[in-house]
């Protein structure tokens, strides 16, 4: 096993009715920026619950953080925080709102132009410089509620870039599984596939000695396969909802990544597809992932075979099991309502591979994946195979 440090200071407050604890979790006397998205929290009553539980606090509202949040929008919140001396931010929403708030938190006291947090990937490590924040999760998917990373889109350049740092963990995250009742089917499907792919990014690498990490990862995959298709049909079932929500958090709170290699190239390529065509994050993963496993078959086949045996009970030679495991993954994505070809989402795809390769070249991303052997040529093959 590789050496590791495990640091995760987020106080995760999980379960039905936990929003009632909000007033005890927010620092007493804080002036709060309440940040949210396009308005779903008004329709499902979460806004009202938040306001009722924060009666003793001064609140300034910031609405309109869009899916795949924009740098340009977030900088408006940065200005409000400076003008109004805000000292705590409450993010109420899915991954986009939470990521957006992480960026705002890092940008307020950033020395220089905050765009560098994204374009130069300046890490945010100094807790004394950030604006502390908590979250109320309304969409299980990204794990952003218990990690210190985020992804923000610069609208003017159509770039979707990740950022993060150890100072950007939420102080607390309230995860009440009943919030999923108001989610559209498409977002429930997205959540399952995003979390499933997070596990695969950290699991489908090469055989190693992290036996426990593998077993935990497999447990999350099996749980998502068990509850995923059902929770989409029946989001009011608390057993399904709570296992779905906890699986999503566990898939990307750092635990299964400790001491083992990880890949993340599916995400890096997928982010380009969202930046270019606005395709939902999870759907880009369903397009790219299986083709990445096909192109990187020789590197990944040991782990693909383990995945095939343990998750799908496949038998045969290592190559047969590994190949069939990819097919089974695609089948699962189809069950979860995903289209798995780029041409299902846009007719304008023929130059995509060259465009992405050029961008990666400009950024110096010459070798991705757990062995840095996903070369630009391989990226091109993966994207072309995804058409
Ligand atoms: O904006 P509102 O009106 O709130 O509507 C949202 C949004 O339109 C709606 N929604 C959220 N909760 C709801 C609800 N509708 C009804 N009832 C509820 N309870 O859902 C829509 C999508 O929300 P969004 O936050 O964009 O979805 P998700 O949580 O999937 O987040 C995706 C973003 O997270 C990033 C992605 O790249 C993408 O930008 N990721 C962040 C990661 C991280 N921080 O670790 C890792 C992931 O791999 C991912 O890259
Ligand atoms: Zn993801």
């Amino acid at each position: 096993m590789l050496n590791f440090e495990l640091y995760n200071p987020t106080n995760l407050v999980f379960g039905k009715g936990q929003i009632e604890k909000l007033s005890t979790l927010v620092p007493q006397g804080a002036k709060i920026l309440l940040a949210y998205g396009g308005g779903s929290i008004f329709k499902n009553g979460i806004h009202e619950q938040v306001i009722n539980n924060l009666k003793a606090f001064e609140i300034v509202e910031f609405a309109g953080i869009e899916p795949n949040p924009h740098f340009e929008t977030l900088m408006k919140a940065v200005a409000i925080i400076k003008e109004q001396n805000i000292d705590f931010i409450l993010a109420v929403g899915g991954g986009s709102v939470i990521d957006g708030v992480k960026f705002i938190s890092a940008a307020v006291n950033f020395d220089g132009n905050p765009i560098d947090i994204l374009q130069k990937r300046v890490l945010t490590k100094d807790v004394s410089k950030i604006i502390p924040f908590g979250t109320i999760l309304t969409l299980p998917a990204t794990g952003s509620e218990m990690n210190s990373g985020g992804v923000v889109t610069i609208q003017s350049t159509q770039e979707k870039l990740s950022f993060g740092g150890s100072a950007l963990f939420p102080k607390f995250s309230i995860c009440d599984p009943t919030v999923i009742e108001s989610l559209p089917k498409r977002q429930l499907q997205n959540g399952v596939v995003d979390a499933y792919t997070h596990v695969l990014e950290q699991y489908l690498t090469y055989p190693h000695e992290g036996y426990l990490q593998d077993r935990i990862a497999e447990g999350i995959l099996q749980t998502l396969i068990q509850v995923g298709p059902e929770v989409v049909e029946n989001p009011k079932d608390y057993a399904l909802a709570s296992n779905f929500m906890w699986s999503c958090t566990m898939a990307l709170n750092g635990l299964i990544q400790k001491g083992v290699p990880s890949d993340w190239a599916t995400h890096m390529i997928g982010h380009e597809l969202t930046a270019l065509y606005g395709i939902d994050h999870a759907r880009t993963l369903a397009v790219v992932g299986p083709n990445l496993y096909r192109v990187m078959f020789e590197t990944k086949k040991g782990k693909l075979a383990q995945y095939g045996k343990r998750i799908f009970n496949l038998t045969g030679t290592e190559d047969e099991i590994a190949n069939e495991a990819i097919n089974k993954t695609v089948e699962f994505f189809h069950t979860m309502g995903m289209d798995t070809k780029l041409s299902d989402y846009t007719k304008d795809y023929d130059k995509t591979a060259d465009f992405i390769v050029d961008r990666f070249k400009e950024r110096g991303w010459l070798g991705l994946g757990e062995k840095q052997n996903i070369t630009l040529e391989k990226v091109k093959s993966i994207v072309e195979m995804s058409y």
Side-chain angles (χ1 to χ4, degrees):
M1 206 185 294
L2 306 171
N3 295 354
F4 65 86
E5 281 185 26
L6 175 58
Y7 170 74
N8 194 317
T10 300
N11 177 13
L12 198 85
V13 184
F14 189 95
K16 238 180 244 184
Q18 295 284 40
I19 292 183
E20 286 173 15
K21 293 196 181 140
L22 187 57
S23 63
T24 63
L25 294 165
V26 169
Q28 293 314 298
K31 183 169 177 185
I32 302 167
L33 186 81
L34 170 60
Y36 49 89
S40 69
I41 66 165
F42 289 96
K43 291 187 202 133
N44 58 21
I46 296 175
H47 182 270
E48 195 183 347
Q49 284 185 62
V50 169
I51 297 294
N52 286 342
N53 282 291
L54 290 181
K55 281 196 177 121
F57 292 83
E58 192 178 347
I59 297 173
V60 176
E61 300 205 12
F62 184 78
I65 299 182
E66 56 280 273
N68 310 304
H70 293 167
F71 167 76
E72 290 82 355
T73 306
L74 304 171
M75 287 308 292
K76 292 181 191 159
V78 169
I80 294 173
I81 289 179
K82 286 183 182 168
E83 273 162 32
Q84 307 229 22
N85 296 320
I86 302 283
D87 34 33
F88 193 82
I89 317 173
L90 181 63
V92 185
S96 294
V97 172
I98 299 176
D99 285 7
V101 162
K102 287 177 181 173
F103 181 81
I104 297 165
S105 163
V108 173
N109 297 319
F110 185 75
D111 278 334
N113 186 344
I115 208 164
D116 290 350
I117 296 171
L118 304 169
Q119 288 181 328
K120 297 191 179 153
R121 224 175 175 282
V122 180
L123 294 176
T124 305
K125 294 180 180 168
D126 185 349
V127 239
S128 70
K129 282 197 152 183
I130 57 123
I131 305 294
F133 61 95
T135 88
I136 297 178
L137 180 68
T138 66
L139 198 180
T142 64
S144 190
E145 67 279 7
M146 202 176 176
N147 69 39
S148 61
V151 196
V152 163
T153 298
I154 305 172
Q155 204 184 4
S156 60
T157 57
Q158 268 194 321
E159 289 175 286
K160 189 172 185 201
L161 297 168
S162 61
F163 67 98
S166 55
L168 290 180
F169 284 97
K171 293 276 165 245
F172 64 81
S173 282
I174 298 179
C175 298
D176 176 344
T178 65
V179 299
I180 76 160
E181 290 175 12
S182 62
L183 276 169
K185 215 177 224 192
R186 190 178 109 204
Q187 297 300 346
L188 290 161
Q189 293 168 332
N190 286 350
V192 173
V193 170
D194 192 20
Y196 195 88
T197 309
H198 292 158
V199 178
L200 293 184
E201 294 273 26
Q202 302 163 89
Y203 173 84
L204 276 186
T205 55
Y206 51 82
H208 53 65
E209 296 167 347
Y211 307 140
L212 177 61
Q213 289 89 326
D214 272 2
R215 294 289 183 185
I216 300 172
E218 288 156 2
I220 301 169
L221 294 175
Q222 284 168 321
T223 309
L224 287 168
I225 290 171
Q226 180 189 342
V227 304
E230 282 186 76
V231 80
V232 170
E233 299 305 326
N234 205 356
K236 291 192 174 158
D237 182 316
Y238 190 74
L240 297 173
S242 52
N243 280 285
F244 166 43
M245 192 175 245
W246 184 221
S247 295
C248 293
T249 302
M250 283 294 289
L252 199 51
N253 64 1
L255 194 64
I256 61 171
Q257 190 152 354
K258 296 299 164 193
V260 302
S262 55
D263 180 346
W264 294 110
T266 297
H267 271 68
M268 291 163 103
I269 300 170
H271 287 165
E272 297 303 318
L273 300 182
T274 302
L276 285 171
Y277 306 113
I279 305 167
D280 291 356
H281 169 64
R283 286 165 205 264
T284 69
L285 307 176
V287 168
V288 176
N291 294 314
L292 186 142
Y293 312 142
R294 289 186 181 111
V295 171
M296 300 311 297
F297 191 77
E298 285 308 313
T299 300
K300 291 190 181 285
K301 78 175 168 191
K303 226 39 201 298
L304 277 164
Q306 178 181 316
Y307 166 62
K309 279 182 219 162
R310 293 188 186 177
I311 304 296
F312 301 115
N313 299 315
L314 300 173
T315 53
T317 65
E318 185 180 59
D319 277 39
E320 283 165 356
I321 297 174
N323 263 311
E324 190 50 22
I326 301 174
N327 297 336
K328 288 277 180 196
T329 307
V330 176
E331 229 172 81
F332 178 60
F333 289 165
H334 288 160
T335 307
M336 293 312 307
M338 300 284 126
D339 287 321
T340 49
K341 290 198 200 97
L342 185 55
S343 50
D344 295 325
Y345 298 92
T346 172
K347 295 292 159 239
D348 191 22
Y349 53 79
D350 55 325
K351 296 202 173 66
T352 313
D354 289 329
F355 184 85
I356 293 178
V357 165
D358 286 346
R359 273 206 155 164
F360 283 9
K361 203 187 287 174
E362 276 166 31
R363 292 182 194 147
W365 296 0
L366 305 180
L368 310 180
E370 64 275 13
K371 290 197 163 161
Q372 275 109 60
N373 62 350
I374 308 183
T375 57
L376 293 179
E377 227 163 81
K378 296 234 163 72
V379 170
K380 189 168 156 68
S381 309
I382 293 163
V383 179
E384 282 175 348
M385 205 181 262
S386 305
Y387 287 173

